[in-house]
Amino acid sequence: MKEQSTQAFKKHSKQLKTMHGTSDLLAFTLPALILVSIVMVIPFCMNLYYGFTEWNGVSSNAKFVGFNNYKKILFHDPTFWRDMWFSIKFGLFYVVIVNILSMAAALALYRQNKITTLGRAFLFVPFVISMVAISLIWKFILTSGFQNIYEKTGWALFGLSWLGDPKVAFYAVVLISVWQNIGFYMVIYIAGLINIPTDILEAAKIDGAGAWTTFWKIKLPLLMQSVTICLFCSISFALKLFDIILVLTKGGPANATCSVAYNIYREAFMNYHYGLATAKSIIFFLLCIIITIVQMRITKKREVQL
Amino acid sequence: MKKFLSILLAAMMLMSLIACGDKAAVTDADETATSASGEKIVLHYLDAAAYGVDEFDAMVEQFEAENPNIDVQVEHIANDINTQLAAKLNSNQLPDIFATNTGNETVRYSEYAYDFTGNPLLDKLKDSALATSNHTDGKVLSVPMSFETMGMLYNKDVFEKNGITELPKTISELRAVCEKLKANGQTAFAVAAKESWVLNQLSTHFMVPQDPDPEKVAKGLLDGTYTMDTLKNFSGLYDVLDLMIEYGPDKPLEYDWEMSETALVNGDCAMIQMGDWCYQALKSFNPDANVGMMLVPTSENPDEAFLQNNVSWQLNVNKNSKHVDAAVKFVDYILTSKPGVEWFMRYHGSVPSAKETYGFENVNTLASSAAEYADQTVRMLQHSEPTEVMNGVGPELQAYMLGQTTKEKSIAAIQALWDSVAE
């Protein structure tokens, strides 16, 4: 099925080329290309340069210091690696939990009827709200809200200091991120599930496969394309984690919830080591690239084509 | 709710930033057009005041009425002004006049700042205020706005209800007060321990007993004359932190400044660490609250309890501005004119840096309550701290409050912050 469509696409694009020539194609891509280079490529190249300087973000001359910033980060900055570890730990929890839950939600809600539509809407709404607003709402829930529930019920879970205890605060951040994003991944999984041809599922049913076997042997292998996308999105979200931290915990208590992105922000805009922060962001960028390439390689291999 | 509103406003501000690009271009255009014909000068002013904003705008209108050839465009940014200012600078839109935090924040802008040396405006300001200006290379690169004082705030009604008539000046007196409150079922402290800046401010109270001159202490810590473990009374900080945990709320590290101030005005706690700048906020949380300021005890010696006072904000004039003279005239108006001084004292609630106060009375009762301790008030140390230390002390003290580290390790970690800057 997929082969057919790619063939059709190739044929179509060939026609396009012969009909209008490359100049037309260029005309279509150029605006996007210009925009991307203005907001991404050029700033990135400037960042490469500032990574080699000592600059406070205000002064008119940035002092060139060679690889000093990189040396400092690699050998003399334990906070960067502490926060890197936080981001990786957060990533592990977040990616696993959010993907399992959103897939479960998708399996429960992919058939179209009134109840599932309502369910999908409920799960998707948090994704539409801004992260800052969500963090503020949760700040209220976790502090006064949980406190009131605790006083009424006496359940220890609600009596915990959700934002004041370093260990618990970590799970609070995971909880909120998962809650907000389930809807997004659920939609991708639902799209994948709808695309599974019903004849295969019927054939499996006739052959006597139960719901469990159908999921593991048919649905999951055919969903691998969605899994690749969802893993990619969730890993990059986890690594970039910033806004919840800024609003909800400010990296605290005692730096327990400081993500790499927040560490870089602090270095640049609170400590005014703009050059150092830039170097950190470049190291971070390289690590992200490596992680996503590895992930794409692994999951791509498992994708099944019909 | 207030936080929510401020975030909402910040979001709107961001939106307006996008719109501002065009607007600035437009005003630039008619600026050149009109100043060529000698009609109207447009001044851009970036302001950091969080309170009395409407009254400030009214004062500006009065200035414009007196100077019909000048049009002042004020932009109020109460949150995160430093980032915004750096962004404006790097997009070549540094305002003609802008406010910065005293200390490093102001010094960073030295190369863009107009030199006030010899300006008659300086004669109208108090010497103690001028001492806080940016004196890089012996110049006067900024002018001071108004004085603010910090120390321990206490709820007078709660103290009275619990029969506490004498304000504590030593740590053991403070402990006695806490015990008395506890016996009556009253929480003593609700310090905003979530805010790293509040904990840092608290820590500086235990650094000033070494020397009332903050620059001397900071310099000594950088060149190794002083160390944190031998700094006079610094270990007292940990005794007070112990009290704040023992006699504080169940979840001390969840308290941000808003929760802390709300707890104080509602009598849910008796004392917090804060400054007189929060007067308007306290009033908005509970208009009937009766709050006073008291010294921060640092040892068993009552003479070593202090308040810290300083000019927190400086005004800078962009020396590359097309209208430097008009900008200086406006700065002079804000700081020393009758409407300007009235704004500071009646609407902003701070002590102006001008000598002449035109007989106005300060509405800020915290400021007047602090004034009673004039002989035990020293200059704020936080403005002499390197930024890395200022941001680093809070998390270290949080770790202590959580029991993750000991007093000795915590002091060593703070020393390491100073050492990392000295390198």
Side-chain angles (χ1 to χ4, degrees), chain B residues 160-175:
Chain B
E160 201 177 312
K161 218 178 354 180
N162 290 281
I164 300 158
T165 46
E166 196 89 352
L167 292 177
K169 286 183 175 172
T170 67
I171 291 179
S172 44
E173 281 171 21
L174 186 64
R175 175 176 289 277

Side-chain angles (χ1 to χ4, degrees), chain B residues 41 43 96-97 114-116 119 317-331:
Chain B
I41 294 169
L43 288 178
D96 302 298
I97 307 145
Y114 167 79
D115 184 4
F116 284 91
N119 196 300
V317 168
N318 177 359
K319 74 171 175 191
N320 302 319
S321 154
K322 276 180 257 167
H323 314 292
V324 170
D325 291 337
V328 172
K329 192 173 184 183
F330 179 60
V331 168

